[in-house]
């Protein structure tokens, strides 16, 4: 496009477009074919140009800050390891007019019908193969075509419920399908968070642009999932591979957003051909599973026997019709690159209609004619594994591009002949470009869209938006996030504001309070250990602060009380040679890992508080000096722990999970305090040990007010062991555990109290009736052992 043509269209847009260069022969999302800015973009550009540099920088920073606060990340894989990376937001949204979006939606709903019919045929009569539409070898060699699933009919009659399509605009301005995502499509939750971040950056622009909302799409799909449940109170679960998966954040986010249970394979069991979830109340039925795990790993009995992510017997439960899988196992067969070569004929054969949106031209090299054509046109082809699910622009290893291998060498046509059935070729994609904001200027970058389609009670529904993948440079067509691509929000802009759609239905009915959500045993276990690790960190920090306070006061740790404190820290695994011992850092990391397993049950504020605590601890480990500097740093960390505890106590709903978190903290505090008192109240303890105990127990002011006499063993034992009004005392912890335990389920009806509850009451009673003078070191050791046994009893009752 010439500069004069651009200038004629940007009088209101200042210098925003100075750096914008469209590419010859490539469609552009900002400009139409006549070289004018598309009408849908014009109001946005005017508002964007009205922002001065400072206002624009603040706007972009607000979006970035939202993502950091929300903890949005994806896992990037390297050659030898993986790491969590910030969500790569491209701040500028992609704008599409509602009429054009409706055409896209209609075409993709038709494609969804074709894929549904293909699934029914592949796992049913197999007429597509019998009639010569799909080569038998192509289907039989597809590792995602699962023979154990042949003949299994979904109990609600549908194989597919949630799909994603990657689409791009070709040079002629028409949209093409680049890839079908039918296995366990990812990105819907990220689309929501990308929308939230973009709305923070451009809230005023968005509110005046009639951007269609996303919440109604999720509400309709959630209601569909809930409607597929049995009438026996069984639940809907989202099945995740776990925190090491690259999209685990999305799994936990969607579970929290929709109010659904997030489970891993180990949480599930099959009993009497019914799928059950292990909970603290025993086995509970599951009747709908939204699978975010590739099918191969779901059942080690009938699929991949090495899988530790799945549940033995799951396919047997599917055969019995006891639950619905979303999407059906085996749906990954539809994603194979080579299958796209046959989609046009499949559509005609199955629905009697041509594809409303064609897919990118594809050739399976298993036929002689196709193989010869590919060899004759290598310069405009990409060649990849026939079963690959990579998108055309995702240039992975061993991909041939324009006749050359990844090492730059030319491809021998004989190689294609020898490997023909294993290969699929696609026309090299020239993706359309879209504007990205770079150094406050707009630049054209290659772009594709991911669009989500879900089944509702009335048919398919398409998310009015999604996300766009944006290339990291104008020169590269590789827009993979794993190699530097970014993601932008997609705004579907209508002529009017439309209804204020939300996740919740509005109406005049009476609000109904739902029952306490079922708590999987592994979630309870992680909450329990989160409480323990946080309290363990807190206690060690208090001891370390006390040590460094004395180091600052005396300039030396070489006197009896300091040596005793140092030895006790070493007994706990915390070596005082390091200002912040590795053992303390390990406890903090373990707390973060435990909380990472339960992101769906954790508020964003609590998560951020824990992350902030962890990052500050890691930072201090390399910066603080022994003595006064360290003691002040430990005070900062203790305040941050108190902030986390306050968020949990004040904001977390008193579901069963909160009880396990509270039990973990109270049990750890009680055990550590008894161990500490046993050592520091010994008769031969050095001078100052009793005062140190009061200090570590955060009870100096209380001790001064309650006891007229000075510090003695009896006053320390009374205040830190036997005073149930002191939140640092052992008896207070036992009372707290007893209260929490009273709300936990008793799984055997004829038993009034579990062994765990009985033991708690026994220890609590012993402390309630004891006098300080009766607490000998031997009695403290016995009580410590009794308290230590509570963890095993809790696990035996609820966590196995």
């Amino acid at each position: 496009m010439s500069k004069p043509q651009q200038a004629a269209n940007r009088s209101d847009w200042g210098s925003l477009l100075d750096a914008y260069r469209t590419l010859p022969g490539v469609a552009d999302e900002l400009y139409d074919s006549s070289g004018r800015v598309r009408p849908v973009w014009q109001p946005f550009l005017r508002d964007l140009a009205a922002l001065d540099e400072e206002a624009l920088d603040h706007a972009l920073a607000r979006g970035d800050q939202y993502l950091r606060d929300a903890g949005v990340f994806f896992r990037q894989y390297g050659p030898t390891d993986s790491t969590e990376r910030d969500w790569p937001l491209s701040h500028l949204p992609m704008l599409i007019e509602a009429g054009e979006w409706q055409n896209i939606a209609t075409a993709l709903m038709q494609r969804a019908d074709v894929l549904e019919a293909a699934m029914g045929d592949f796992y049913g009569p197999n007429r597509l193969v019998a009639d010569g539409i799909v080569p038998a070898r192509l289907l039989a060699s597809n590792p995602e075509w699962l023979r154990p699933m042949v003949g299994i009919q979904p109990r609600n009659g549908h194989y597919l419920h949630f799909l994603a399509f990657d689409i791009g605009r070709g040079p002629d301005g028409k949209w093409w399908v680049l890839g079908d995502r039918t296995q366990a499509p990812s990105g819907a939750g990220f689309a929501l968070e990308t929308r939230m971040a973009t709305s923070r950056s451009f809230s005023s622009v968005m509110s005046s642009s009639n951007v269609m909302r996303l919440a109604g799409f999720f509400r309709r799909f959630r209601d569909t999932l809930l409607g597929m449940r049995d009438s026996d109170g069984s639940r809907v679960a989202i099945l995740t591979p776990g925190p090491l998966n690259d999209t685990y954040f999305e799994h936990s986010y969607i579970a929290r957003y929709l109010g659904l249970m997030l489970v891993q394979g180990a949480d599930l069991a099959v009993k009497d051909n019914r799928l059950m979830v292990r909970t603290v109340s025993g086995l509970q039925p599951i009747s709908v599973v939204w699978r975010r795990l590739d099918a191969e790993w779901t059942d080690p009995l009938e699929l991949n026997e090495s899988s530790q992510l799945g549940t033995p017997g799951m396919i047997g439960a599917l055969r019995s019709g006891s639950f619905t899988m979303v999407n059906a196992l085996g749906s990954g067969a539809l994603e194979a690159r080579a299958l796209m070569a046959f989609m046009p004929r499949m559509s005609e054969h199955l629905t009697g209609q041509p594809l409303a949106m064609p897919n990118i031209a594809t050739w399976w090299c298993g036929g002689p004619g196709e193989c010869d054509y590919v060899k004759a046109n290598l310069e405009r082809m990409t060649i990849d594994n026939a079963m690959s699910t990579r998108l055309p622009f995702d240039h992975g290893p061993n991909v041939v591009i324009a006749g050359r291998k990844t090492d730059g060498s030319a491809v021998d046509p004989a190689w294609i002949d020898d490997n023909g059935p294993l290969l699929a070729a696609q026309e090299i994609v020239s993706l359309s470009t879209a504007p990205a904001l770079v150094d406050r200027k707009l630049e054209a970058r290659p772009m594709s869209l991911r669009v989500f389609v879900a089944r509702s009670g009335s048919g398919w529904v398409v998310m009015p938006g999604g996300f766009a993948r944006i290339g990291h440079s104008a020169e590269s067509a590789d827009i993979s996030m794993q190699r530097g691509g970014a993601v932008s929000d997609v705004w579907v802009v209508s002529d009017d504001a439309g209804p204020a759609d939300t996740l919740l239905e509005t109406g005049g009915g009476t609000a109904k309070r739902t029952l306490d959500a079922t708590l999987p045993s592994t979630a309870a276990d992680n909450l329990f250990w989160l409480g323990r690790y946080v309290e363990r960190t807190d206690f060690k920090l208090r001891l370390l602060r006390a040590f460094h306070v004395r180091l600052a006061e005396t300039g030396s740790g070489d006197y009896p009380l300091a040596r005793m404190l140092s030895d006790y820290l070493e007994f706990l695994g915390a070596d005082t040679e390091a200002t912040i011992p590795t053992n303390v850092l390990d406890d903090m990391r373990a707390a973060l890992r435990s909380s990472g397993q339960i992101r769906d049950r954790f508020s964003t504020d609590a998560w951020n508080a824990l992350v902030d605590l962890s990052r500050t601890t890691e930072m201090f480990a390399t910066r603080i000096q022994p003595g006064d500097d360290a003691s002040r740093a430990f005070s900062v960390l203790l305040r941050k722990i108190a902030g986390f505890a306050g968020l949990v106590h004040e904001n977390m709903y008193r579901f069963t999970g909160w009880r396990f978190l509270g039990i973990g903290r109270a049990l750890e505090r009680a055990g550590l305090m008894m161990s500490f008192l046993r050592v520091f109240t010994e008769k031969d303890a050095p001078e100052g040990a009793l005062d140190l105990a009061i200090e570590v127990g955060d009870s100096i002011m209380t001790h001064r007010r309650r006891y007229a006499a000075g510090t003695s063993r009896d006053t320390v034992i009374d205040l830190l062991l036997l005073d149930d009004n002191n939140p640092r005392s052992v008896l207070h912890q036992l009372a707290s555990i007893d209260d929490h335990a009273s709300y936990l389920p008793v799984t055997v009806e004829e038993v009034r109290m579990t062994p765990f509850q009985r033991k708690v009451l026994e220890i609590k009673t012993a402390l309630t009736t004891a006098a300080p003078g009766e607490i000998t070191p031997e009695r403290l050791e016995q009580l410590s052992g009794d308290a230590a046994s509570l963890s095993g009893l809790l696990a035996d009752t609820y966590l196995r």
Side-chain angles (χ1 to χ4, degrees):
M1 181 182 300
S2 67
K3 292 285 286 184
Q5 282 178 299
Q6 291 187 18
N9 287 283
R10 64 177 181 85
S11 58
D12 295 331
W13 307 320
S15 59
L16 269 178
L17 301 178
D18 285 347
Y20 202 82
R21 300 289 185 274
T22 58
L23 304 177
V26 175
D28 186 75
E29 300 303 323
L30 183 59
Y31 291 101
D32 61 22
S33 57
S34 64
R36 295 191 173 277
V37 173
R38 297 178 191 269
V40 72
W41 280 94
Q42 293 177 15
F44 179 83
L45 290 179
R46 278 193 290 270
D47 288 336
L48 187 65
L51 299 174
D52 60 31
E53 289 187 359
E54 183 178 2
L56 180 59
D57 289 344
H58 280 307
L60 304 186
R62 285 195 299 271
D64 293 334
Q65 188 63 51
Y66 170 81
L67 293 173
R68 285 193 294 271
D69 289 345
V72 184
F73 70 90
F74 78 104
R75 189 167 291 280
Q76 186 174 42
Y77 295 99
T80 59
D81 59 2
S82 65
T83 183
E84 290 181 3
R85 300 293 302 273
D86 291 338
W87 187 241
L89 178 67
S90 179
H91 299 86
L92 209 66
M94 167 71 187
L95 274 60
I96 299 180
E97 190 270 326
E100 183 176 17
W101 187 261
Q102 183 56 52
N103 293 333
I104 291 172
T106 300
L108 294 181
M109 287 189 288
Q110 183 226 28
R111 191 176 184 94
D113 284 333
V114 174
L115 293 172
E116 171 70 29
M119 272 293 290
D121 182 75
F122 287 164
Y123 292 98
N126 224 338
R127 298 302 309 169
L128 288 171
V129 170
D131 295 341
I133 306 299
V134 175
R137 181 173 183 176
L138 182 63
L139 187 61
S141 61
N142 190 330
E144 294 294 340
W145 183 67
L146 305 179
R147 286 174 174 80
M149 296 302 300
V150 173
I152 299 179
Q153 295 288 327
R155 68 174 192 165
N156 72 337
H158 298 297
Y159 292 88
L160 304 177
H161 301 82
F162 195 90
L163 308 174
F165 298 98
D166 290 294
I167 65 174
R169 197 192 294 270
D172 60 357
K174 296 180 180 178
W175 292 97
W176 295 72
V177 174
L178 307 175
D180 303 305
R181 291 290 172 255
T182 55
Q183 168 94 265
S186 63
F190 288 124
L192 270 173
E193 287 289 48
T194 302
R195 167 63 57 87
M196 295 297 294
T198 306
S199 68
R200 294 294 197 281
S201 293
F202 303 111
S203 55
S204 60
V205 182
M206 188 175 184
S207 63
S208 62
S209 298
N210 298 333
V211 179
M212 298 179 68
R213 291 189 165 194
L214 308 182
F217 170 83
F218 287 97
R219 186 194 70 242
R220 294 178 68 180
F221 183 56
R222 180 203 59 192
D223 292 347
T224 300
L225 293 176
L226 296 176
M228 290 191 289
R229 292 176 299 174
D230 292 335
S231 59
D232 59 358
S234 57
R235 297 183 177 275
V236 179
I238 298 177
L239 176 60
T240 175
L244 295 182
N245 184 261
D246 57 343
T247 57
Y248 175 73
F249 169 83
E250 181 191 32
H251 305 166
S252 58
Y253 175 81
I254 286 288
R256 187 169 61 241
Y257 182 71
L258 299 183
L260 303 178
M261 182 190 305
L262 186 67
V263 298
Q264 298 181 41
D267 294 318
L268 304 176
V270 175
K271 182 179 181 181
D272 298 329
N273 278 332
R274 290 210 66 185
L275 189 65
M276 314 290 280
V277 58
R278 295 183 174 95
T279 77
V280 296
S281 301
L283 292 175
Q284 300 292 328
I286 295 286
S287 54
V288 182
V289 174
W290 183 5
R291 174 174 61 91
R292 308 306 300 272
L293 172 69
D294 285 355
E296 174 189 4
W297 308 100
T298 55
D299 187 344
L301 286 183
E302 300 198 46
L303 297 173
N304 189 329
E305 64 182 13
S306 66
S307 172
Q308 297 183 24
L309 301 176
T311 305
M314 183 174 283
I315 290 181
L318 277 173
R319 285 196 189 94
S320 72
S322 64
F323 78 101
T324 299
M325 181 73 81
V326 176
N327 290 326
L329 297 180
S331 56
L334 301 174
E335 295 186 358
R337 178 182 295 249
L339 192 64
M340 297 185 76
F342 305 94
M343 279 294 292
R345 293 183 64 197
M346 288 166 58
S347 179
E348 294 274 5
H349 190 81
L350 293 169
T351 68
Q353 296 179 337
L355 290 171
M357 183 185 294
N359 49 246
I360 183 174
T362 305
W363 295 265
W364 178 53
C365 298
E370 292 84 352
C371 192
D372 291 340
Y373 183 85
V374 169
K375 289 187 294 181
N377 294 274
L378 280 176
E379 72 284 352
R380 61 186 187 90
M381 299 283 182
T382 64
I383 303 176
D384 200 351
N385 187 305
M387 300 306 154
S388 171
T389 61
R390 284 191 292 261
L391 294 173
F393 51 74
D394 188 359
H395 300 155
N398 305 318
V399 174
V400 174
I401 305 172
R404 295 198 171 272
K405 299 179 181 178
T406 50
D407 62 3
S409 61
V411 169
D412 184 351
W415 173 80
I416 299 176
D417 289 326
D418 293 341
N419 296 278
L422 305 177
L423 304 173
Q426 291 183 315
E427 197 168 21
I428 291 178
V429 178
S430 295
L431 293 171
S432 65
T433 53
L437 201 56
V438 181
D439 297 329
R440 305 189 187 95
K441 306 285 187 182
L442 296 185
E443 291 188 6
R445 297 284 176 87
M447 180 277 306
S448 75
L449 296 184
R450 175 159 288 194
V451 186
F452 300 94
V453 179
R455 189 179 295 282
S456 72
S458 57
W460 295 110
V461 58
V462 178
M463 182 192 294
F467 65 75
R469 299 193 204 199
I470 306 295
H472 58 83
S473 71
E475 293 75 27
S476 174
D478 190 345
I479 60 179
S480 166
M481 288 168 53
Q482 293 288 339
R483 284 183 289 278
V487 174
S488 73
D489 190 15
V490 176
W491 290 6
V492 178
V493 180
S494 62
D495 293 333
D496 53 61
D501 213 353
T502 67
L503 187 65
L504 299 175
E505 292 278 15
T506 58
T510 303
K512 295 181 179 179
R513 182 184 299 171
T514 58
L515 296 176
D516 189 354
T518 301
L519 181 66
S521 298
T522 53
D525 191 43
N526 278 297
L527 285 161
F528 172 71
W529 279 101
L530 170 61
R532 295 197 68 168
Y533 286 129
V534 169
E535 188 59 35
R536 196 172 293 177
T537 304
D538 178 279
F539 194 77
K540 290 176 184 176
L541 290 176
R542 291 180 183 278
L543 292 172
L544 286 163
R545 181 174 64 176
F547 176 80
H548 284 276
V549 164
R550 282 150 183 80
L551 193 62
E553 291 173 347
T554 64
S556 169
D558 190 21
Y559 64 96
L561 182 60
R563 286 196 299 270
M564 181 183 188
L565 186 52
S566 178
D567 290 344
Y568 187 72
L569 278 163
E570 289 190 22
F571 165 73
L572 295 178
D575 185 355
T576 54
E577 290 296 318
T579 313
I580 297 185
T582 301
N583 174 268
V584 174
L585 296 173
D586 288 343
D587 287 338
M588 194 64 252
R589 292 163 188 158
L592 205 58
R593 282 196 301 272
S594 293
S595 63
Q597 298 272 359
I598 47 171
R599 287 293 302 274
D600 59 310
R601 297 176 180 273
F602 224 51
S603 76
T604 299
D605 284 339
W607 169 259
N608 286 336
L610 199 59
V611 169
D612 178 52
L613 172 63
S614 177
R615 288 175 177 170
T616 307
T617 306
E618 299 279 356
M619 179 187 69
F620 282 170
T622 59
R623 296 187 183 183
I624 60 175
Q625 299 300 315
D628 184 62
D629 187 37
S631 67
R632 286 186 285 109
F634 291 134
S635 293
V636 170
L637 294 176
L638 288 168
R639 288 195 295 272
K640 287 180 180 289
I641 287 182
F644 167 76
L647 282 168
V648 168
H649 183 77
E650 294 296 329
N651 297 345
M652 193 170 176
Y653 193 86
R654 271 45 173 172
F655 280 139
T656 307
W658 182 78
R659 305 288 174 187
F660 278 91
L661 180 62
I663 289 172
R665 289 204 72 186
L667 184 57
E668 189 71 17
R669 183 176 291 186
L672 288 170
M673 182 57 73
M674 283 193 282
S675 170
F676 177 71
L677 290 175
R678 186 169 56 83
V679 174
F680 282 79
T681 60
E682 287 276 8
K683 290 181 180 180
D684 58 352
E687 183 181 356
L690 296 175
D691 290 321
L692 175 66
I694 296 297
E695 176 186 334
V696 171
D698 201 15
S699 301
I700 294 175
M701 291 179 59
T702 305
H703 188 275
R704 288 173 181 167
R705 291 179 178 178
R706 288 209 55 184
Y707 306 100
T711 308
S712 68
R713 185 180 188 278
D714 280 357
T715 62
V716 171
I717 291 294
D718 187 43
L719 186 59
L720 296 182
L721 185 73
L722 304 178
D723 189 342
D724 63 349
N725 289 316
N726 182 4
R728 287 280 163 185
S729 79
V730 174
L731 183 54
H732 184 89
Q733 309 315 312
L734 267 296
S736 176
I737 295 171
D738 188 37
D739 180 61
H740 287 312
S742 69
Y743 289 91
L744 300 184
V746 178
T747 56
V748 181
E749 293 183 4
E750 62 271 18
V751 177
R752 288 182 57 247
M753 299 179 71
T754 65
F756 172 74
Q757 290 171 317
R758 283 198 301 272
K759 193 64 175 179
V760 170
L761 183 58
E762 177 186 321
I763 304 172
K764 177 186 169 186
T765 302
L767 289 173
T768 303
T769 58
E774 299 172 0
I775 304 297
T776 62
E778 293 75 21
R779 184 75 184 279
L780 265 176
E781 186 168 3
Q782 177 198 345
L783 288 168
S784 294
D786 289 342
S789 71
L790 289 175
S791 182
L793 291 171
L794 184 75
D796 289 341
T797 306
Y798 298 107
L799 307 179
R800 301 297 187 196

